[in-house]
Short mmCIF file of all heavy atoms in Angstrom, two decimals:
data_model
loop_
_atom_site.label_atom_id
_atom_site.label_comp_id
_atom_site.label_asym_id
_atom_site.label_seq_id
_atom_site.Cartn_x
_atom_site.Cartn_y
_atom_site.Cartn_z
N LEU A 219 10.34 10.45 -1.32
CA LEU A 219 9.10 10.85 -0.61
C LEU A 219 9.26 10.57 0.90
O LEU A 219 8.59 9.69 1.36
CB LEU A 219 7.88 10.15 -1.17
CG LEU A 219 7.40 10.44 -2.59
CD1 LEU A 219 6.23 9.58 -3.07
CD2 LEU A 219 7.09 11.93 -2.81
N PRO A 220 10.14 11.34 1.60
CA PRO A 220 10.43 11.00 2.93
C PRO A 220 9.30 11.38 3.94
O PRO A 220 9.29 10.90 4.97
CB PRO A 220 11.77 11.77 3.20
CG PRO A 220 11.71 12.96 2.27
CD PRO A 220 10.96 12.38 0.94
N ASP A 221 8.46 12.38 3.51
CA ASP A 221 7.47 12.91 4.41
C ASP A 221 6.29 13.41 3.66
O ASP A 221 6.43 13.46 2.45
CB ASP A 221 8.09 13.89 5.39
CG ASP A 221 8.90 15.04 4.62
OD1 ASP A 221 8.36 15.44 3.53
OD2 ASP A 221 9.77 15.56 5.11
N VAL A 222 5.23 13.79 4.32
CA VAL A 222 4.06 14.34 3.86
C VAL A 222 4.40 15.70 3.02
O VAL A 222 3.68 15.84 1.89
CB VAL A 222 3.00 14.53 4.93
CG1 VAL A 222 1.76 15.25 4.33
CG2 VAL A 222 2.59 13.30 5.62
N ALA A 223 5.19 16.44 3.51
CA ALA A 223 5.56 17.65 2.78
C ALA A 223 6.11 17.45 1.29
O ALA A 223 5.73 18.10 0.28
CB ALA A 223 6.53 18.64 3.55
N ALA A 224 6.97 16.39 1.31
CA ALA A 224 7.44 15.88 0.00
C ALA A 224 6.39 15.37 -0.88
O ALA A 224 6.29 15.65 -2.15
CB ALA A 224 8.50 14.89 0.16
N LEU A 225 5.46 14.66 -0.33
CA LEU A 225 4.35 14.16 -1.11
C LEU A 225 3.50 15.40 -1.67
O LEU A 225 3.12 15.37 -2.83
CB LEU A 225 3.49 13.24 -0.28
CG LEU A 225 2.23 12.71 -0.98
CD1 LEU A 225 2.49 11.80 -2.39
CD2 LEU A 225 1.37 11.86 -0.05
N ASP A 226 3.24 16.36 -0.78
CA ASP A 226 2.44 17.56 -1.14
C ASP A 226 3.20 18.22 -2.32
O ASP A 226 2.54 18.66 -3.35
CB ASP A 226 2.34 18.49 0.02
CG ASP A 226 1.31 19.59 -0.30
OD1 ASP A 226 0.18 19.30 -0.63
OD2 ASP A 226 1.83 20.70 -0.16
N ASP A 227 4.55 18.47 -2.29
CA ASP A 227 5.34 19.05 -3.37
C ASP A 227 5.16 18.20 -4.52
O ASP A 227 5.05 18.67 -5.77
CB ASP A 227 6.70 19.12 -3.03
CG ASP A 227 6.98 20.13 -1.88
OD1 ASP A 227 6.07 21.05 -1.62
OD2 ASP A 227 8.16 20.15 -1.24
N PHE A 228 5.29 16.90 -4.46
CA PHE A 228 5.08 16.06 -5.61
C PHE A 228 3.83 16.13 -6.32
O PHE A 228 3.62 16.26 -7.58
CB PHE A 228 5.28 14.54 -5.23
CG PHE A 228 5.30 13.55 -6.36
CD1 PHE A 228 6.39 13.24 -7.07
CD2 PHE A 228 4.10 12.89 -6.70
CE1 PHE A 228 6.39 12.34 -8.03
CE2 PHE A 228 4.00 11.97 -7.58
CZ PHE A 228 5.22 11.70 -8.41
N ALA A 229 2.67 16.18 -5.49
CA ALA A 229 1.35 16.37 -6.02
C ALA A 229 1.17 17.67 -6.75
O ALA A 229 0.64 17.71 -7.89
CB ALA A 229 0.33 16.24 -4.95
N ARG A 230 1.82 18.77 -6.17
CA ARG A 230 1.67 20.04 -6.87
C ARG A 230 2.39 20.19 -8.00
O ARG A 230 2.03 20.74 -9.09
CB ARG A 230 2.28 21.22 -5.79
CG ARG A 230 1.09 22.01 -5.28
CD ARG A 230 1.47 23.12 -4.52
NE ARG A 230 1.69 22.65 -3.16
CZ ARG A 230 2.92 22.78 -2.45
NH1 ARG A 230 3.95 23.32 -3.08
NH2 ARG A 230 3.13 22.17 -1.30
N GLU A 231 3.70 19.58 -8.11
CA GLU A 231 4.62 19.56 -9.29
C GLU A 231 3.94 18.83 -10.39
O GLU A 231 4.16 19.14 -11.63
CB GLU A 231 5.88 18.82 -9.09
CG GLU A 231 6.80 19.63 -8.08
CD GLU A 231 8.02 18.88 -7.65
OE1 GLU A 231 8.30 17.76 -8.23
OE2 GLU A 231 8.76 19.18 -6.67
N HIS A 232 3.00 17.97 -10.23
CA HIS A 232 2.39 17.11 -11.23
C HIS A 232 0.92 17.66 -11.45
O HIS A 232 0.12 16.93 -12.09
CB HIS A 232 2.40 15.57 -10.77
CG HIS A 232 3.74 15.13 -10.96
ND1 HIS A 232 4.35 14.79 -12.34
CD2 HIS A 232 4.79 14.90 -10.15
CE1 HIS A 232 5.50 14.30 -12.11
NE2 HIS A 232 5.85 14.34 -10.81
N ASP A 233 0.56 18.76 -10.74
CA ASP A 233 -0.75 19.34 -10.95
C ASP A 233 -1.88 18.26 -10.79
O ASP A 233 -2.88 18.27 -11.53
CB ASP A 233 -0.99 19.89 -12.42
CG ASP A 233 0.00 21.06 -12.66
OD1 ASP A 233 0.08 21.80 -11.66
OD2 ASP A 233 0.44 21.25 -13.78
N LEU A 234 -1.74 17.55 -9.72
CA LEU A 234 -2.80 16.56 -9.39
C LEU A 234 -3.93 17.42 -8.84
O LEU A 234 -4.00 18.13 -7.91
CB LEU A 234 -2.41 15.58 -8.14
CG LEU A 234 -1.40 14.61 -8.67
CD1 LEU A 234 -0.99 13.67 -7.49
CD2 LEU A 234 -1.93 13.72 -9.78
N SER A 235 -5.12 17.12 -9.51
CA SER A 235 -6.44 17.83 -9.25
C SER A 235 -7.07 17.16 -8.10
O SER A 235 -6.87 16.01 -7.88
CB SER A 235 -7.29 17.97 -10.49
OG SER A 235 -7.64 16.81 -11.04
N ASP A 236 -7.91 17.85 -7.44
CA ASP A 236 -8.80 17.20 -6.34
C ASP A 236 -8.07 16.61 -5.18
O ASP A 236 -8.41 15.56 -4.71
CB ASP A 236 -9.85 16.17 -7.00
CG ASP A 236 -10.76 16.80 -7.92
OD1 ASP A 236 -11.02 18.13 -7.86
OD2 ASP A 236 -11.19 16.10 -8.88
N VAL A 237 -6.88 17.13 -4.92
CA VAL A 237 -6.04 16.54 -3.85
C VAL A 237 -6.30 17.52 -2.68
O VAL A 237 -5.91 18.69 -2.75
CB VAL A 237 -4.57 16.49 -4.20
CG1 VAL A 237 -3.76 16.00 -3.08
CG2 VAL A 237 -4.38 15.50 -5.29
N GLY A 238 -6.76 16.99 -1.57
CA GLY A 238 -6.89 17.84 -0.36
C GLY A 238 -5.74 17.86 0.56
O GLY A 238 -4.61 17.80 0.02
N ILE A 239 -5.95 18.04 1.82
CA ILE A 239 -4.82 18.05 2.71
C ILE A 239 -4.31 16.62 2.85
O ILE A 239 -5.06 15.65 3.14
CB ILE A 239 -5.30 18.67 4.11
CG1 ILE A 239 -5.65 20.10 3.91
CG2 ILE A 239 -4.18 18.48 5.05
CD1 ILE A 239 -6.42 20.79 5.06
#
Side-chain angles (χ1 to χ4, degrees):
L219 292 176
D221 53 34
V222 175
L225 177 59
D226 190 56
D227 289 343
F228 183 86
R230 251 185 281 117
E231 287 170 15
H232 289 279
D233 292 325
L234 289 177
S235 58
D236 299 331
V237 175
I239 297 170

